Amino acid sequence: MTYDLEIHIEELRAEANHCDLTERAQIIAELEAARAALAAAIAAQDVERVGEPPH
């Protein structure tokens, strides 16, 4: 799952560099959401490995 999110983030970054300003704002918002989802997925994996929440 994290690999797919990483690919999606890279695609959004590339797309943000080649669009107009209005479209860029929307892509940046999507990029931030994807980064948050990636961070949550990584945290969930860490919990599964350790069995307790990170400190």
Side-chain angles (χ1 to χ4, degrees):
M1 177 173 175
T2 58
Y3 179 76
D4 292 336
L5 285 169
E6 290 171 357
I7 296 299
H8 185 61
I9 288 168
E10 289 305 314
E11 289 172 348
L12 288 171
R13 288 180 64 211
E15 205 174 320
N17 291 327
H18 303 289
C19 62
D20 62 39
L21 291 176
T22 305
E23 202 174 27
R24 181 174 166 81
Q26 180 182 0
I27 292 169
I28 295 298
E30 289 178 38
L31 182 57
E32 290 174 5
R35 286 179 175 152
L38 178 60
I42 291 170
Q45 286 179 347
D46 288 346
V47 168
E48 288 175 9
R49 280 190 215 124
V50 175
E52 62 182 44
H55 299 254

